[in-house]
């Protein structure tokens, strides 16, 4: 449990307590953060790899007056148990089924879904596999990948072995910093810890993303869907073709030069886009 007064893209004016909890799902513990009042519409936030639900604390603080917010740690990340001894055998559908079971356990179905990068893959797989889970969804950095990215992404998340001189720490730091050279040092430190704590799940989740039939699953999503990406997000070029494949997809523009960490570094902008879109869906 922690009190989040953090911002990004502007100050958060109201102190919000983001709480933490566990749920037992099929014999495994899944960890999640939550904030807001359960009488409000439920909004589920799905994180990128190798992060955890910690990336959403600023956004949760900004949206807690409008939504009941739930941010699970993907199995194998953060404080959630993994789904298998060999995570390399897992598919995005496996992650989606576990998160869906958690949402049923927490009695928040149907809900709004928001996913960033890997979280976008999982959000689409949830609604594809369990239609009606999402009242509406939003995708940041949709994972509609070309063949080059499908080949390269798993290598970008390859395991870095431990070195007695600590060289593995520098190697991972440099890898993460390349994703966004302007990212604040505390954010990079958090991601460094997440990357090592997730172990083999890091690369396994990337491989699962590349093997997902994302384009085919998009065509089955009949709920309203908002799609955007940071201005310099490497997945920004996927926004328009993703919208084209969604029966009820719309695009939003995000400026400001952000890359991978747009949800944390443009909190107010992302919060406004989500609130306006989901509020419109309420009408």
């Amino acid at each position: 449990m922690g009190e989040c007064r953090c911002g990004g893209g502007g100050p958060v004016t109201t102190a919000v307590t983001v709480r933490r909890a566990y749920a037992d799902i099929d014999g495994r513990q899944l960890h999640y953060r939550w904030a807001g009042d359960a009488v409000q519409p439920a909004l589920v936030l799905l994180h990128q790899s190798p992060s955890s639900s910690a990336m959403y604390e600023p956004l949760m603080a900004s949206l807690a007056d409008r939504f009941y917010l739930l941010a699970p740690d993907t199995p194998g990340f953060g404080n959630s148990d993994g789904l298998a001894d060999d995570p390399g055998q897992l598919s995005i559908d496996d992650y989606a089924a576990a998160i869906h079971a958690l949402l049923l356990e927490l009695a928040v179905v149907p809900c709004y879904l928001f996913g960033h990068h890997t979280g976008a893959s999982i959000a689409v797989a949830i609604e594809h596999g369990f239609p009606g889970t999402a009242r509406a969804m939003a995708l940041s950095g949709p994972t509609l990948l070309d063949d080059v990215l499908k080949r390269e992404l798993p290598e970008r998340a390859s395991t870095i072995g431990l070195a007695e001189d600590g060289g593995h720490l520098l190697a991972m730091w440099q890898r993460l910093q390349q994703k966004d050279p302007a990212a604040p040092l505390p954010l990079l430190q958090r991601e460094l810890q997440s990357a090592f704590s997730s172990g083999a799940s890091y690369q396994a989740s990337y491989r699962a993303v590349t093997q997902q039939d994302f384009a085919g699953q998009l065509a089955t999503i009949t709920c309203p869907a908002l799609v955007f990406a940071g201005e310099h997000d490497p997945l920004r070029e996927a926004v328009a073709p993703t919208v084209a494949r969604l029966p009820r997809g719309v695009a939003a523009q995000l400026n400001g030069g952000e890359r991978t960490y747009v949800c944390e570094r443009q909190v107010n902008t992302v919060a406004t886009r989500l609130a306006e879109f989901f509020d419109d869906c309420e009408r």
Side-chain angles (χ1 to χ4, degrees):
M1 181 175 73
E3 188 174 82
C4 184
R5 300 173 183 267
C6 40
V12 175
T13 57
T14 303
V16 172
T17 299
V18 177
R19 301 181 183 276
R20 301 168 63 181
Y22 288 89
D24 290 326
I25 304 297
D26 296 330
R28 302 177 187 270
Q29 285 198 312
L30 295 189
H31 174 262
Y32 62 96
R33 286 171 165 83
W34 66 273
D37 193 324
V39 302
Q40 299 279 16
L43 170 55
V44 177
L45 309 170
L46 304 172
H47 64 81
Q48 66 177 336
S49 300
S51 192
S52 71
S53 59
M55 67 170 277
Y56 283 126
E57 285 205 0
L59 193 60
M60 296 172 82
S62 187
L63 290 171
D65 62 333
R66 299 185 185 216
F67 300 98
Y68 177 48
L69 295 140
L70 295 161
D73 288 345
T74 301
F77 294 86
N79 292 319
S80 284
D81 291 341
L83 296 178
D85 293 335
D86 180 6
Q89 301 301 311
L90 298 174
S91 68
I92 285 295
D93 290 342
D94 293 324
Y95 293 116
I99 298 296
H100 180 259
L102 173 66
L103 302 185
L104 290 178
E105 176 68 20
L106 299 178
V108 294
V109 175
C111 59
Y112 295 126
L113 289 178
F114 172 57
H116 175 71
H117 285 213
T118 311
S121 287
I122 295 173
V124 168
I126 289 173
E127 182 59 18
H128 169 75
F130 307 95
T133 301
R135 302 165 66 181
M137 72 167 58
L139 308 174
S140 171
T143 52
L144 189 63
L145 308 176
D146 60 26
D147 289 339
V148 173
L149 280 176
K150 286 182 179 181
R151 289 195 304 270
E152 291 182 353
L153 278 180
E155 289 306 310
R156 296 181 188 179
S158 60
T159 300
I160 297 176
L162 304 182
E164 291 201 18
D165 65 356
H168 60 290
L169 299 172
L170 179 59
M172 184 65 78
W173 182 273
Q174 291 172 336
R175 173 190 291 179
L176 296 169
Q177 196 168 44
Q178 287 174 358
K179 294 171 67 173
D180 186 353
L185 296 183
L187 191 158
L188 288 174
Q189 173 69 9
R190 187 202 70 201
E191 291 295 286
L192 179 80
Q193 294 169 329
S194 295
F196 281 117
S197 67
S198 60
S201 293
Y202 182 6
Q203 185 178 47
S205 69
Y206 272 36
R207 184 171 289 110
V209 167
T210 66
Q211 294 173 349
Q212 180 186 16
D213 180 15
F214 192 71
Q217 291 186 0
L218 287 173
T220 71
I221 306 302
T222 58
C223 66
L226 176 70
V227 187
F228 58 84
E231 186 176 14
H232 292 160
D233 190 323
L235 297 177
R236 184 180 177 91
E237 295 302 315
V239 170
T242 295
V243 170
R245 287 169 170 79
L246 286 162
R248 300 174 67 185
V250 295
Q253 185 79 14
L254 262 65
N255 299 317
E258 293 302 334
R259 295 170 60 105
T260 301
Y261 303 112
V262 65
C263 296
E264 295 152 280
R265 302 189 64 200
Q266 288 196 33
V267 174
N268 287 356
T269 299
V270 173
T272 297
R273 294 288 189 277
L274 295 179
E276 290 177 349
F277 177 70
F278 291 132
D279 283 350
D280 285 344
C281 293
E282 286 286 298
R283 299 188 180 99

